[in-house]
Amino acid sequence: MAAEEGPTVELRQRKKLKSSENKESVKEEKISDTPVPERAPKHVLFQRFAKIFIGCLAAVTSGMMYALYLSAYHERKFWFSNRQELEREITFQGDSAIYYSYYKDMLKAPSFERGVYELTHNNKTVSLKTINAVQQMSLYPELIASVLYQATGSNEIIEPVYFYIGIVFGLQGIYVTALFVTSWLMSGTWLAGMLTVAWFIINRVDTTRIEYSIPLRENWALPYFACQIAALTGYLKSNLNTYGERFCYLLMSASTYTFMMMWEYSHYLLFLQAISLFLLDSFSLQQSDKVHEVYKIYIFSLFLGYLLQFENSALLVSPLLSLVVALMLAKCLQMFVPHKENGHMLKFLEVKFGLNMTKNFTMNWLLCQESLQAPSQDFFLRLTQSSLLPFYILVLIICFLSMMQVIFRRINGKSLKEAITLEDGRIGGRPEIIYHVIHTILLGSLAMVIEGLKYLWTPYVCMLAAFGVCSPELWMTLFKWLRLRTVHPVLLALILSMAVPTIIGLSLWKEFFPRLMTELMELQEFYDPDTVELMTWIKRQAPVAAVFAGSPQLMGAIKLCTGWMVTSLPLYNDDDLLKRNENIYQIYSKRSAEDIYKILTSYKANYLIVEDAICNEVGTMRGCRVKDLLDVANGHVVCEEGDKLTYSKYGRFCHEVKINYSPYVNYFTRVYWNRSYFVYKINTVISFQS
């Protein structure tokens, strides 16, 4: 048997050897087919190194200079260093005050663990309500800032507020650096990065809200998104080596996850990005494996964010997951994990686009906010004056038409070269360019409807316009269409890619640099003595256990400046808080003293603050004053045809309570007032007098 088995075993071994030889021969053929790059001469390597070194130095310097500029401008605008702590904190308005107040709470906690526990089981902010503030308000930036402040020993050399705003300004420097790098990667020259930064700073009124609300979540999150876009741009490039591809993948993974943790609305922005990648993949304009790797990053970040954000169900039913994982899986999750955030978003969009009507106070109040209106003509005028918008439109048209030309050629079955050269004049064939074109069109379409989204789109405009005018490929694509014969098109494209941005840069320097210097030299002052007096009175006169009621924006300031408990907060992602805000706003409606008293006591409020600015508001938009919206919601005015007009027999509460007559004095006792605020103690024992 042994002798008989010998030949068969030998035969099997020969077959295995033969198959392995075939595989090796195939590999050898593949290796022989791929061109072996010749080693570049030393002087070429030196030029490349010098170019990369100067570009990196310019990118880092641009980011640092922008961060220093923001710090200097903030100091001049608010005269920050010469103010007391209370006056500094008043500069944080609305929801910004809430975020910074929790940073202060973390620093006061005996330990980090205890501080996190108190935030996740917070019952000292909103009366009769325990909230997980870390999950509900995305307080990871404050947790990180508090850890860094104490771990680095900064408490001995710098005040907490300077450390906090310093981190945010530093992130803005990273934001600008990432935009610089992205434009550099797309165009091949760091001159595009310099132009991107210049346009970004000149148009900063429309590129960022850092000057007005430092602690906003977007100011913490968007720098990481810019890093993710830079990494994605490099990752999609066809001529990237293995090490560069791996670095871009790791950077993209880390920045995607961090971006998702920093901002509760980040998954909506990633959803638009996923659509852009899906379209890129659908037209076979890039190898599918790279796009699918990005999808894996999305899924990993979503589920890791879900776990670390205290099982945030909004991430499981986000449209991003629906697109990436598949519609059926997301539908199953929506059956088992109910969440109302997407429902609120859909209702808002229905009313915004005129598909539905509502009398709901909260919905109409949100629609009246300036950031949710369509952009004004001034926005487009500012972009045009800085020459940004005309060049952006030119670049977008050329890239879009070239992209469509490539798509139609692929649909018709025409073969295209994978390696695109300058002489080809086919800028729309590069995958990273196609992605950016689709993404900027999606963002721009939304920004044309909602002005607040311009802060996402305008930085993109700066980057894309700067890349285009500095890219020889773009000019070559244009000359290819024009069939330029008189001058060599490649030479002319190279000349224009240097001359046009240089001319733009010189004109911007001449017109806008003196303005920037004037802003830094001009000493402004944030003067709000009435609010300072109100906060001082609360800290000195109000009991520690007191609960204050008033507008959500003012309640945020009270929480930060005094630490006292309030009835509502300027947050709009919680049904209970939205209902509370609407109920507390009834102090500006035509309701009886008894109705207002019942509302306030149901939230255990001890003090009521009436703001004269809201009570006597003269709105610029018709029907958008708080009292007008309340009258519509309460049925006191006609909203639509067919509605009945309901007359209220009561005057407006905020006016009537100031007159001090019965029955208002039976329920409320005025204890403090100044030009802007009237504070009333809510009586616990009601005495009705004639």
Side-chain angles (χ1 to χ4, degrees), residues 191-204:
L191 189 62
M194 297 291 290
L195 188 56
T196 300
V197 174
W199 266 328
F200 182 92
I201 296 176
I202 290 170
N203 296 281
R204 70 187 186 283

Side-chain angles (χ1 to χ4, degrees), residues 493-681:
L494 291 171
I495 293 174
L496 287 180
S497 65
M498 295 291 291
V500 173
T502 302
I503 295 172
I504 295 173
L506 291 175
S507 63
L508 293 178
W509 177 278
K510 181 179 179 181
E511 183 175 357
F512 293 98
F513 183 75
R515 299 185 190 179
L516 296 177
M517 292 298 101
T518 302
E519 290 176 351
L520 290 180
M521 297 300 295
E522 184 181 358
L523 184 62
Q524 305 178 40
E525 187 174 3
F526 182 80
Y527 187 66
D528 191 2
D530 293 343
T531 305
V532 173
E533 292 174 5
L534 173 65
M535 301 304 168
T536 304
W537 180 87
I538 292 175
K539 296 175 74 171
R540 292 178 179 176
Q541 301 296 330
V544 177
V547 178
F548 284 83
S551 70
Q553 288 72 26
L554 181 60
M555 294 301 101
I558 290 177
K559 169 66 177 69
L560 168 60
C561 298
T562 68
W564 264 245
M565 191 175 291
V566 295
T567 56
S568 58
L569 292 174
L571 300 172
Y572 310 103
N573 57 358
D574 182 270
D575 283 342
D576 181 62
L577 288 176
L578 289 174
K579 189 63 179 176
R580 281 173 176 249
N581 293 345
E582 182 177 353
N583 289 338
I584 299 299
Y585 266 128
Q586 295 296 325
I587 62 178
Y588 301 103
S589 68
K590 298 177 180 179
R591 300 280 292 272
S592 67
E594 183 180 1
D595 288 346
I596 301 299
Y597 180 82
K598 288 180 179 179
I599 291 173
L600 297 175
T601 52
S602 67
Y603 296 122
K604 301 298 181 182
N606 305 116
Y607 290 89
L608 167 66
I609 303 179
V610 176
E611 297 174 62
D612 195 60
I614 301 178
C615 189
N616 299 316
E617 182 181 5
V618 181
T620 55
M621 294 183 61
R622 181 182 178 184
C624 274
R625 297 180 301 179
V626 169
K627 49 189 178 183
D628 296 335
L629 298 174
L630 288 168
D631 290 344
V632 171
N634 296 336
H636 295 155
V637 296
V638 175
C639 180
E640 306 174 40
E641 293 184 5
D643 288 348
K644 293 182 179 179
L645 179 62
T646 304
Y647 292 97
S648 176
K649 62 181 180 180
Y650 305 104
R652 199 168 299 280
F653 174 84
C654 62
H655 290 310
E656 302 297 324
V657 73
K658 296 177 185 177
I659 303 177
N660 285 333
Y661 69 93
S662 183
Y664 295 92
V665 294
N666 302 327
Y667 296 100
F668 307 97
T669 302
R670 188 165 64 188
V671 293
Y672 173 80
W673 71 94
N674 59 29
R675 292 175 301 177
S676 302
Y677 304 103
F678 294 81
V679 183
Y680 297 89
K681 190 177 188 304

Side-chain angles (χ1 to χ4, degrees), residues 55-208:
C56 291
L57 183 64
V60 174
T61 303
S62 299
M64 292 178 62
M65 293 299 292
Y66 179 60
L68 292 174
Y69 168 79
L70 288 176
S71 179
Y73 181 76
H74 181 264
E75 171 64 26
R76 287 288 180 175
K77 183 176 182 180
F78 295 106
W79 210 13
F80 213 65
S81 59
N82 296 315
R83 292 189 174 277
Q84 298 178 355
E85 183 180 6
L86 177 60
E87 294 175 318
R88 292 175 183 172
E89 292 176 349
I90 288 176
T91 62
F92 298 119
Q93 300 287 319
D95 51 351
S96 297
I98 296 296
Y99 298 132
Y100 184 74
S101 71
Y102 287 120
Y103 167 70
K104 287 179 57 180
D105 291 344
M106 282 297 299
L107 296 181
K108 294 176 183 177
S111 66
F112 178 75
E113 293 78 8
R114 183 62 188 177
V116 173
Y117 178 82
E118 290 178 354
L119 291 186
T120 54
H121 301 79
N122 186 278
N123 57 2
K124 298 179 180 179
T125 299
V126 183
S127 60
L128 301 178
K129 188 176 177 66
T130 299
I131 60 175
N132 185 340
V134 178
Q135 176 195 5
Q136 197 158 345
M137 305 175 197
S138 298
L139 295 181
Y140 290 97
E142 283 65 37
L143 298 182
I144 296 172
S146 63
V147 169
L148 291 176
Y149 182 71
Q150 294 174 333
T152 57
S154 301
N155 51 350
E156 299 177 359
I157 57 177
I158 190 173
E159 297 179 50
V161 64
Y162 281 108
F163 186 83
Y164 184 88
I165 64 177
I167 292 178
V168 183
F169 290 156
L171 285 174
Q172 299 308 301
I174 295 175
Y175 190 8
V176 164
T177 301
L179 293 174
F180 183 111
V181 172
T182 305
S183 187
W184 180 12
L185 287 172
M186 294 167 65
S187 64
T189 171
W190 52 264
L191 189 62
M194 297 291 290
L195 188 56
T196 300
V197 174
W199 266 328
F200 182 92
I201 296 176
I202 290 170
N203 296 281
R204 70 187 186 283
V205 176
D206 303 303
T207 57
T208 178

